[in-house]
Amino acid sequence: MKSFLLNIFNDRIVSPWWILLIDLVIAINAFVIAFTLRLGTRLDTVPVSDLFLVAAWVVLIYLISFFVFRSYKGVIRHSSYNELKILVISCFSAFVCLSFVNLIVKGFNLPWIKVPNLILVIHFLLTAILTFVFRVVVKETYSLLTKKRKTKNIYIYGAGVMGQITLEAITSDKENQYNIVGFIDDDPSKKGVILQSIPVVSWEKALKSAEVKEIEEIILAINNIDVQRKYDITDECLRRNWKLKVMPSVGNWVNGISNNRQIRDIRIEDILGREEIKLDQLKIMDGLEGKVVMVTGAAGSIGSEIVRQLLKFPVKKILLVDVAESPLYDLQQELLLSHYDIPFETILVSVTNEKRMEEVFLQFQPNLIFNAAAYKHVPLLEKFPYEAIRVNIGGTRILARLAVKYGIEKFVMISTDKAVNPTNVMGASKRICEIFIQSLSQKKGIKTSFITTRFGNVLGSNGSVVPLFKKQIDRGGPVTVTHPDITRYFMTIPEACQLVLEAGFMGKGGEIFVFDMGEPVKIKNLAEEMIRLAGLKVGQDIEIKYTGLRPGEKLTEELLASKENTLPTHHDKIMIGQVRDHDFKQVNESINNLVQLLSEETTENLVIRMKELVPEFISNNSIYSELDKKEVLI
């Protein structure tokens, strides 16, 4: 029998006309029942012809209403709340129409048009209920027939809107293997409430009854939750060997639709992220409205997220500048699929090509620049300082000079905490960029507002430890950590880019904005947490292997040099770094010499000249450490 019913359900989708016919049959039978209930023993006094005419008139109005609202469309076995709502609205509209006709024909002798109001009420209720029940029975029968035998007992953490959306997403998926035991909510007013036949309990009660109920998984379905609370929940789930999953917020749904496949495993970014950032939306909007915005390094992790953030504002056009062909193409396709209404241009060009970059400025006339183009891998640039100078310093200098030449309103440069007391070539190159930008902004007659933003590592960015650790865990280990005591500041990519936008429209020019990165994280602890999140045990399933510090790497990063202080801003996560001033003429001359000598100087001499520009640049664990003991070239 089950196989027969499954064949009926799976092999075909019933024509909408059959559904309409069934609805009409229900409406006819409902009218007969309503008429019988109303007249009772006096039913035999009504001529059959009159009953037929009245029934035909009523059913005709319902038929028209079904047509208008298209309540018969859709696949019955997948009926959603919205479809059922449309069904009730169509029945109610027919009832209102018939009642209105009753008022108009009052006093006219048209017995086949006028229907007693009580019969109309009973008929409306019966039709709405029976058509509704028909759909629910079909849907539940199909769900019961297709439900897998092996299910997981789970709790949904959050009994609000997101929790109920999660419930709907799970129950509407025929492949779903979840048995929802209950909702968990921290709101005392919701405890003991029943939502769609499912009880709401406290976290403490859920933990006490978990063993009896054989809980295997928790789905976190809360838009705004305290980060520490999220961490505590994660820790408890890992301790009990429960899987913890997350229902993404509405803004992150694929194609704006919620479904069971949107529910994903919790990631390290979810528990290391911090409280939601409150941006000065009006100020940012005023600064971006109607503007052509250039983003260099647009295909990178930071650049692409800046682009995504910009798409939320009324910009005139976004220029996506990058030299990496494949990532730029991928970003282009992403925007075409999800933000086709925002004008943008993909521009394949290197920021080190001054002639081509000037052509871009002339053609598109940008108003604002977010400069995220840079080489950033410490060990590689330690080996190839030529590229750090050519791209990081040379590219920034070209962009800054063009910004001044073409009257760009604002130039925002992305820097790094590695620029503070640099111990490697990469950090020193970014510090030189900071010095150049800041000194240029102090020249008389400069109309461009130059802003520098400085922050630490971003979780999940290209080349960061998080994707590296994930690959190593997927391969079965070992997870490689350079040193057991190494620490880093971390921030999520969206958080960093939101603060870049905020700082970009906060400064007047020449400031270095330092972001509050929170507490530093031990990389060893990060690795252990990622192993646990993967459902594995440290030391048993996955080993952690210490490989030693890499060239140019230091144990701890700093956001401010020892001689620097900060000033507060109106945003509690953004501070202004008080750094020493530099004379532009001297800085520009030194950088000119450095760039011009790229093809002539040895690698060693290039690094020596970088140390001249940045006296606090002391190499660490590097082949250039010996240079700090020698007399610097003049």
Side-chain angles (χ1 to χ4, degrees), residues 101-116:
V101 170
N102 270 355
L103 288 174
I104 293 175
V105 301
K106 191 175 183 180
F108 291 92
N109 188 23
L110 296 171
W112 61 276
I113 289 181
K114 191 174 185 306
V115 186

Side-chain angles (χ1 to χ4, degrees), residues 119 185 190 216 341 529 542 595:
I119 290 179
D185 205 284
K190 291 181 181 177
E216 297 180 55
D341 54 329
E529 201 71 23
I542 301 283
V595 174

Side-chain angles (χ1 to χ4, degrees), residues 344-395:
F344 66 90
E345 292 284 343
T346 49
I347 304 169
L348 186 65
V349 61
S350 170
V351 293
T352 63
N353 188 331
E354 188 165 6
K355 182 176 182 299
R356 280 285 295 116
M357 283 307 304
E358 185 156 17
E359 289 173 1
V360 172
F361 274 73
L362 283 168
Q363 181 180 353
F364 296 104
Q365 300 178 356
N367 305 110
L368 310 169
I369 299 174
F370 288 89
N371 180 30
Y375 283 154
K376 62 182 182 180
H377 294 288
V378 170
L380 278 176
L381 295 185
E382 202 69 9
K383 192 174 181 182
F384 302 105
Y386 171 95
E387 291 300 316
I389 296 167
R390 185 182 70 86
V391 176
N392 293 3
I393 301 173

Side-chain angles (χ1 to χ4, degrees), residues 157-171:
Y157 203 117
V161 174
M162 278 297 295
Q164 293 179 61
I165 289 172
T166 304
L167 173 65
E168 175 67 24
I170 290 171
T171 54

Side-chain angles (χ1 to χ4, degrees), residues 17 137 162 179 187 231 247 279 322 348 403 411 467 474 494 501 505 527 537 586 611 615:
W17 304 114
V137 167
M162 278 297 295
N179 175 39
D187 184 351
Y231 184 86
M247 181 62 163
L279 300 180
D322 210 301
L348 186 65
F411 183 106
D474 290 342
L501 285 184
F505 294 97
K537 293 183 179 178
Q586 291 180 358
K611 289 176 181 290

